Amino acid sequence: MNLHHLLEKRRVAGKPVRVALIGAGKFGSMFLSQVPHTPGLEVPVIVDLDPERARDACRTVGWDDARIAATTFTKDGAAAIANSVEVIVEATGNPSVGIRHARAAIAAGKHIVMVNVEADVLAGPLLADEARKAGVVYSLAYGDQPALTAEMVDWARATGFRVVAAGKGTKYLPIYHDVTPAGVWGHYGLTAAEAQSAGMNPQMFNSFLDGTKSAIEMAAIANATGLDVPSTGLLFPPCGVDDLPHVMRPTDKGGVLEKSGVVEVVSSLERDGRPVFRDLRWGVYVVLEAPNDYAADCFRQYGLKTDSSGRYAAMYKPYHLIGLELNISVLSAALRGEPTGQPQGFRGDVAAVAKKNLRAGEMLDGEGGYTVWGKLMPAAESLKTGALPIGLAHHVKLTRDVAHGAVVRWSDVEIDAKNDAVAFRRAMEAKFSRQV
């Protein structure tokens, strides 16, 4: 890697990499904390629904008064995109808003780093296609688990290994799919009062717990790498790092996978709630297969953990640092013209599934809410079923009953076909349906 060297050349030339950040939440704040320590990188404009909150975030992460005074804080995303910047970082977490900002950035000839993985899974394949045609970079966000996993998959393939499985770790039990914001904090070991005093959003945290965020991130990885999606959804097998080569291999080889070449999430909890030994809750992994006996012998000689056959091995990162690592995406786009992960096709989708028996007339409340959770599905199956994407299951009314555990379909809801995000998603489905 030579990003720091390339950035130093820009700094010396007096041509810093200039970035507009849209969304100064936790991810954005972590990115901002690194900016003063990265000579040659500037963030002259920050967009947030509450500009004063964004100023406070900058103070919290250590910006001095002079840097804050030199920065424009605004609610106007369009104005920020029109600013004299090279890279737009979209970190709102709102799928519809994210699509709008990404398309505006692409139209303006700006690179777009999509922290907003919800938007990426809803319509990323078409956004990436638009960006390639416009000659700009559309990129997943380094530091978040999809980009880190995509990097490991690329490393494995570039070194001649076959990728058997790739994904991340999380805390999971089957009962979590039905958890609502009202009951989320007990699973994190917090009281509601403690969470409220810390400013923690129960619906956002619940989207991590109920499996929705895992499904979204695995769909992003599948679309970026070409790996397949499990036909019946994620298994979330309990598995520690030492057992990855044993567990994450096909069933005919003694593992749990239906086949080789899939995305999957491993749980940090056994099914009875006991902690997994040496879990991967915060990390990412890739399981690879030796192409020949010589490579398998090298695995053993260099101490790599393998399965009993010696042919399957795993590499992993135990942690991810989200926004603290985002500079890698920003600089890769600006200085190399390369994404740190990008959708190449439409292989994985995330469908809204009922958390309870839903009745006609009820309003869906999206990721992490009281009504639905997001289930990973092969894109071909999602299109065949007519599944409603979780990214569009916000503030839409059911027109018919949906049973607990059933997939919500487009035909089950009132949907505004003229809505920009809906129209763009439909255009993506039309374009990529021939390829799935």
Side-chain angles (χ1 to χ4, degrees):
M1 295 181 68
N2 63 348
L3 287 176
H4 183 261
H5 172 71
L6 294 173
L7 182 60
E8 180 64 9
K9 290 176 66 175
R10 287 281 296 266
R11 184 194 68 79
V12 171
K15 297 179 179 179
V17 174
R18 289 167 59 85
V19 181
L21 171 65
I22 305 178
K26 181 62 173 178
F27 201 116
S29 294
M30 293 177 79
F31 165 62
L32 293 172
S33 75
Q34 299 304 100
V35 171
H37 310 289
T38 314
L41 177 66
E42 296 181 357
V43 181
V45 58
I46 299 174
V47 181
D48 198 88
L49 293 174
D50 185 344
E52 191 55 41
R53 185 188 69 171
R55 283 191 183 88
D56 288 341
C58 289
R59 295 187 187 98
T60 298
V61 303
W63 281 31
D64 59 29
D65 291 341
R67 187 179 294 272
I68 292 173
T71 303
T72 298
F73 295 86
T74 178
K75 296 180 181 181
D76 192 342
I81 291 168
N83 202 295
S84 57
V85 296
E86 291 179 67
V87 182
I88 309 299
V89 173
E90 215 298 335
T92 65
N94 183 304
S96 298
V97 171
I99 290 171
R100 183 170 72 247
H101 286 151
R103 298 196 74 198
I106 293 166
K110 310 293 176 69
H111 304 307
I112 178 77
V113 175
M114 187 60 90
V115 176
N116 188 341
V117 69
E118 293 82 3
D120 177 75
V121 169
L122 183 60
L126 188 53
L127 290 171
D129 190 58
E130 284 194 353
R132 286 189 288 266
K133 290 176 180 176
V136 296
V137 173
Y138 173 95
S139 179
L140 299 180
Y142 200 89
D144 221 354
Q145 288 162 307
L148 295 179
T149 306
E151 178 186 52
M152 296 187 79
V153 170
D154 186 62
W155 165 84
R157 288 171 169 166
T159 49
F161 296 113
R162 181 186 182 193
V163 174
V164 178
K168 68 164 195 170
T170 196
K171 179 181 179 180
Y172 172 84
L173 290 173
I175 61 170
Y176 290 168
H177 290 310
D178 291 340
V179 175
T180 70
V184 66
W185 297 128
H187 297 288
Y188 283 99
L190 298 168
T191 67
E194 288 170 336
Q196 184 176 14
S197 66
M200 300 167 72
N201 182 319
Q203 185 157 344
M204 183 190 74
F205 275 82
N206 198 45
S207 72
F208 286 90
L209 189 74
D210 71 8
T212 300
K213 185 67 75 171
S214 290
I216 288 171
E217 292 183 334
M218 292 306 103
I221 293 167
N223 292 338
T225 63
L227 291 171
D228 285 331
V229 166
S231 62
T232 58
L234 293 170
L235 299 174
F236 296 97
C239 184
V241 295
D242 298 327
D243 293 327
L244 285 167
H246 299 272
V247 176
M248 306 309 293
R249 55 183 176 165
T251 55
D252 62 359
K253 304 296 183 182
V256 302
L257 306 178
E258 62 186 74
K259 62 180 179 179
S260 186
V262 297
V263 296
E264 187 56 81
V265 177
V266 296
S267 176
S268 64
L269 294 177
E270 301 287 354
R271 288 297 189 258
D272 61 5
R274 289 178 297 116
V276 164
F277 179 66
R278 281 174 42 83
D279 69 78
L280 194 65
R281 179 177 177 184
W282 307 108
V284 297
Y285 77 91
V286 61
V287 171
L288 44 94
E289 182 181 1
N292 50 49
D293 291 338
Y294 183 83
D297 287 342
C298 291
F299 286 172
R300 176 179 53 80
Q301 293 160 7
Y302 287 88
L304 203 59
K305 294 283 187 180
T306 69
D307 73 330
S308 56
S309 75
R311 300 303 289 261
Y312 294 90
M315 296 291 281
Y316 62 90
K317 283 187 173 183
Y319 304 104
H320 68 296
L321 298 179
I322 55 174
L324 297 181
E325 301 182 82
L326 186 61
N327 284 0
I328 300 300
S329 289
V330 170
L331 300 181
S332 182
L335 304 177
R336 286 181 175 162
E338 293 182 355
T340 51
Q342 179 190 84
Q344 302 297 318
F346 184 34
R347 303 185 68 83
D349 200 11
V350 183
V353 173
K355 285 188 173 182
K356 59 181 181 178
N357 289 325
L358 300 174
R359 302 303 179 196
E362 284 191 68
M363 297 290 290
L364 301 183
D365 56 357
E367 300 103 310
Y370 288 83
T371 57
V372 291
W373 62 278
K375 180 179 180 178
L376 183 65
M377 297 180 68
E381 182 63 24
S382 173
L383 294 178
K384 180 181 178 182
T385 304
L388 179 70
I390 190 68
L392 295 176
H394 298 257
H395 308 299
V396 293
K397 183 184 292 186
L398 287 170
T399 58
R400 64 183 76 178
D401 296 348
V402 179
H404 178 211
V407 171
V408 182
R409 294 170 169 78
W410 288 92
S411 58
D412 295 327
V413 298
E414 289 181 359
I415 203 84
D416 180 5
K418 296 181 180 179
N419 175 281
D420 288 346
V422 172
F424 196 72
R425 165 68 188 211
R426 285 302 208 185
M428 190 196 75
E429 291 183 353
K431 179 177 178 63
F432 287 92
S433 62
R434 298 183 296 275
Q435 302 174 21
V436 298

